[in-house]
Amino acid sequence: MTTTTEKSLYTIMEDRKSVRKYDPTFKMTQAQLEEIIKEATSAPSSSNLQAWRFLVIQDEETKKELRAIGNNQEQIETSSAVIAVLGDAEMYKNVEKIYTQNVEEGHMGEEQKNITINNTMRMYPAAPLEVRQSIATFDAGLISMQLMLIAKEKGFDTVTMGGFDKVKFAERFELPENEFPIVLIAIGKAAAPAFGSSRLPLEDIARFI
C-alpha cells in the first residue's frame, strides 16, 4: 500500500478534491497546522515580499460565528480548522528584514541587497492601494494552492472558500488597516467522498503560437 509520503506530486494533485463534508470529531493539533503553513511558505511571491498572512481559527464557538459570516457553509464549523489567508498591502515594510535574512543565509551579497531594498521602497509605496492588494491576492493564490497540496500529502482534506462577507470578517477579527481577507481554507478529515469534477479540454484553454 502506498503511503502519503510515497505518493508522487501528480498523484497528490489528482487526489486533492474540494471536501465539504468533514468529521467534526477529528481535531488537528496546532503543531500540525503550523507545519503545513511553514512548508507552504516556500511558494513564490512578488519581490519575495511574502504578502500573505494567516489567521487560523480552531475555537468551536468562533467557527460558529464565522459560519454566519461565511454564507452558512457547513464546512466552516465541521472542519478541524479554518485557515483565513490574508493579504498585507504594506508588504514592503518587511523588505529590509527579508533581504537581510537573504544575505545571512547566503542567497545574495550586501550590494544586491541594498539595490533590491532601494528599488522596492521606490516602487511599492508609490503604487496605488488597489495595485498592492492585487499583488497580495495573486501571491495568496500561489501559497493557498501549495498549502492544500501539502495538506493532502499529509493525509488531510481541504476546500477553499471565497464566498464570505469580507467586510464583516475584517470587523469581527479586528484586522489592521493594511490587512484584508482573501480566502478561507477549511482543513480536516473528510466524512464523505468529495464530488469529482470535469475539466475543459486543452484546446479550449491553451493557444500555442
Side-chain angles (χ1 to χ4, degrees):
M1 180 177 177
T2 303
T3 65
T4 54
T5 54
E6 293 171 338
K7 288 183 178 179
S8 72
L9 172 62
Y10 301 102
T11 302
I12 295 166
M13 288 167 59
E14 287 294 321
D15 287 349
R16 186 218 59 81
K17 305 293 181 187
S18 294
V19 170
R20 292 177 172 82
K21 294 288 183 181
Y22 287 86
D23 177 358
T25 67
F26 178 80
K27 302 300 176 188
M28 295 176 67
T29 66
Q30 181 171 326
Q32 288 173 318
L33 292 161
E34 287 177 349
E35 183 180 26
I36 290 169
I37 294 171
K38 184 176 180 180
E39 290 182 10
T41 60
S42 65
S45 63
S46 178
S47 301
N48 193 34
L49 292 178
Q50 305 161 55
W52 45 63
R53 303 289 179 265
F54 303 93
L55 180 61
V56 184
I57 302 162
Q58 297 175 272
D59 178 73
E60 296 302 324
E61 291 304 313
T62 306
K63 285 196 292 177
K64 288 179 182 178
E65 290 184 62
L66 181 57
R67 181 171 178 171
I69 295 172
N71 294 331
N72 196 35
Q73 295 180 79
E74 175 188 314
Q75 61 266 24
I76 292 176
E77 191 172 348
T78 57
S79 60
S80 183
V82 176
I83 301 172
V85 185
L86 317 174
D88 183 358
E90 295 180 355
M91 71 288 271
Y92 56 86
K93 291 186 176 180
N94 286 314
V95 65
E96 189 156 351
K97 179 179 181 180
I98 290 168
Y99 281 93
T100 297
Q101 185 177 342
N102 274 359
V103 172
E104 291 171 352
E105 294 179 4
H107 303 309
M108 63 169 54
E110 192 72 26
E111 183 180 357
Q112 185 59 49
K113 164 197 157 181
N114 292 333
I115 291 171
T116 304
I117 290 173
N118 289 336
N119 288 341
T120 298
M121 294 308 293
R122 186 177 69 252
M123 293 170 56
Y124 279 81
L129 175 61
E130 294 78 8
V131 171
R132 286 184 274 118
Q133 287 180 328
S134 178
I135 290 169
T137 300
F138 180 83
D139 291 348
L142 294 173
I143 197 169
S144 293
M145 188 70 253
Q146 191 142 302
L147 189 154
M148 289 187 288
L149 290 175
I150 291 167
K152 189 61 183 175
E153 190 273 336
K154 295 181 182 297
F156 304 111
D157 298 292
T158 57
V159 63
T160 52
M161 297 166 281
F164 63 102
D165 191 321
K166 294 177 174 61
V167 173
K168 287 183 179 179
F169 183 96
E171 291 173 351
R172 166 60 182 83
F173 295 103
E174 300 179 338
L175 299 186
E177 284 189 10
N178 56 299
E179 292 185 7
F180 61 100
I182 299 171
V183 70
L184 305 177
I185 302 176
I187 184 168
K189 276 285 188 187
F195 292 110
S197 55
S198 61
R199 294 294 183 269
L200 291 168
L202 187 62
E203 57 265 27
D204 286 3
I205 62 170
R207 297 192 301 275
F208 294 82
I209 56 175

